[in-house]
Amino acid sequence: MDSARRERASTLLTAALAVALVLLFAMSLVFASDPTGRWMHGGSGSTHPDLPADIASAPLAAPAPAPSGSGGYKLLEFEDDASGVPVRWDPCRPVHYVVRPDGAPPGGEQAVEQAVAQVEKITGLRFTDDGTTTEPPTMNRPAQNRARYGDRWAPVLVAWTDPAEYPHMAGYAGLAGPDAVSGGSPGSRRYVSGVVYLNRQHLSEVATWGDGRQRIDSVVLHEFGHLVGLDHVEDPAELMYRTPTAQPHPNGFEVGDRRGLAALSGGPCFRDF
Ligand SMILES: [Zn+2]
């Protein structure tokens, strides 16, 4: 619509999102350097939550095969530097999530539903919607919050927020990442929780653009890509390019993104916790 305003917003985001990779990577390094500290500090005083009641003895669904062709991807975390085995979500149990819906832009709720559906279809992971929450977004959110969620890993928090509430959101369309813990043996790190924070201020403006809905869909899907373990790539053709707002992706994840999601699929099922 207003191309000058839109250009300004895009430029701001391009500049700001250039920093996002560094921050996201730094965040994952913090997680990696102290995999257990975050939930140990969560106040439970105990170790891991019990096995969930909805755990299955086999993967809940089969992932899609990796597409052929070119298109690269990067993954956020590996079990160790030598193995090349990525840290993944456990495919034998659903990924639980809650939504803090306050201030969602038009089309925002549908964008989350579509992102979940596309990630499920490609990875074979299954998501369980635990409903809405009043939990606000926080930095270093603990992977357990017994007072709010009981004896289990905290469900992924999907929250619409803005820089006034969450200052780190300044200049970003969204921030997201998974939360890994280790079972103590090699190859036992797995994602158990995470966050998807979406900039309701910026995306409410995007919603007024001609192709705003498509751009919101792309931003939300991009953030869910981080949640399942994808990092940024330098190729602007991929959804996981560092500036998802710059270009709508009507098909969602592109070829490289899908190959990355295939690498994140089919992980081991854990029974230790
Ligand atoms: Zn990103």
Side-chain angles (χ1 to χ4, degrees), residues 15-26:
L17 284 170
V19 188
L21 172 63
V22 177
L23 276 186
L24 187 70
F25 188 60

Side-chain angles (χ1 to χ4, degrees), residues 24 222-223 226 232 240-242 244:
L24 187 70
H222 173 105
E223 301 307 334
H226 286 315
H232 288 146
M240 294 314 293
Y241 186 55
R242 63 183 71 251

